[in-house]
Amino acid sequence: MGADGNGGGAYERDRSCLTTRITADGRDGFPVEPGRYRLVIARACPWANRAAIVRRLMGLEDVLSLGIAGPVHDERSWCFHLDPGGRDPVLGIEWLREAFLRRDPGYPHGITVPAIVDVPTGEVVTNDFERITLDLGSQWSAHQREGAPDLYPERWRDEIDDVAGKVYRDVNNGVYACGFARTQAAYDEAYRRLWQRLDWLEERLAGRRYLVGDTLTEADVRLFPTLARFDAVYHGHFKCNRQKLTELPALWAYARDLFQTPGFGDTIDFAQIKAHYHVVHQTINPTGIVPAGPDVRGWLSPHGREQLGGRPFGDGSPPGPPPPAERVPPLG
């Protein structure tokens, strides 16, 4: 998840990763090939959640298989404890670290999801969470479903990058900066920046349905996983508690709108999210007790955002339902 970096108590995420790309032309030695690769995620992880969403929106389920690490792990990081025998059925490994060490026996960085593994060799190709979603939306275009949306349209890229950058710094990573701060001053600064940005987003979304333009983009994909986890874990567990998401009218309606859009809410498993944060983060929650709440049925309540216009998929169409083996438990 990262490490404290500057000695002042502020949390700094370790963004070191394997930056090898899987591309249509195979420039890095890994060409796009149906069935060759396996995307490994964890339902609990917001960074992996992005990749799961884009894979769904692009309709890549039949060409890029999905491995799901369980929510609970130790210092060895993500493992496949939900699978029969505790092993991924395709890769045959118990721990994701095995695939990283096959790529580099001395791999010095974090064992993180999302990661894409080359099935024939069992080696991780990449765990570059920012690049993975962009490449699933572009490099895999020959295998995308008919009606797949363009999440990174050329004319909006500068604005998408600007908004997504602010969201990453102050919100996606900002909640971690609050939760893992080691001094009051570091926490106070992270909290200030988080809520300054959430107020900015609340104002921005009051009069527009999506963050950039009038369709879903990478910016929305990157904000949604944090909002989905906000009341369940970040509000209390990470001390981001000025208000709940449900108390922010525009952001709460926006989050429900996305949750009810195929490809978004059908990737969310609240039980796994709560189990991960409350059990694994022993320095924050030493008892390991997982809270029973909050009531998540409100995610299915009407959001009223249609009145703002916008076309979620642009000239495209929504994806179909997820494969049976990938379905998450229904709410309620």
Side-chain angles (χ1 to χ4, degrees), residues 191-208:
Y191 181 92
R192 181 192 67 79
R193 293 180 66 165
L194 168 67
W195 282 101
Q196 185 178 55
R197 185 62 61 199
L198 287 174
D199 287 341
W200 178 79
L201 289 166
E202 175 75 7
E203 182 177 357
R204 183 180 183 91
L205 289 166
R208 58 192 306 161

Side-chain angles (χ1 to χ4, degrees), residues 213-289:
D214 65 349
T215 64
L216 291 165
T217 68
E218 270 277 337
D220 302 294
V221 170
R222 295 184 182 198
L223 176 58
F224 173 75
T226 301
L227 298 182
R229 289 157 177 76
F230 199 87
D231 286 4
V233 288
Y234 301 145
H235 177 270
H237 185 64
F238 277 178
K239 306 178 183 69
C240 302
N241 60 354
R242 192 190 80 180
Q243 290 165 279
K244 297 176 182 176
L245 177 65
T246 55
E247 296 168 345
L248 301 167
L251 273 166
W252 174 223
Y254 164 81
R256 299 200 314 278
D257 187 3
L258 294 187
F259 188 90
Q260 295 169 33
T261 299
F264 285 82
D266 54 35
T267 68
I268 299 295
D269 187 320
F270 286 108
Q272 290 195 33
I273 289 168
K274 291 193 298 182
H276 172 73
Y277 285 88
H278 292 288
V279 173
V280 173
H281 298 165
Q282 295 178 355
T283 58
I284 298 176
N285 186 41
T287 65
I289 294 172

Side-chain angles (χ1 to χ4, degrees), residues 41 45 70 82 96 106 155 212 226 233 248 281 306-307 319 324-325:
I41 67 164
C45 175
L82 299 180
L96 181 57
R155 65 189 179 117
V212 179
T226 301
V233 288
L248 301 167
H281 298 165
E306 302 93 338
Q307 64 185 359

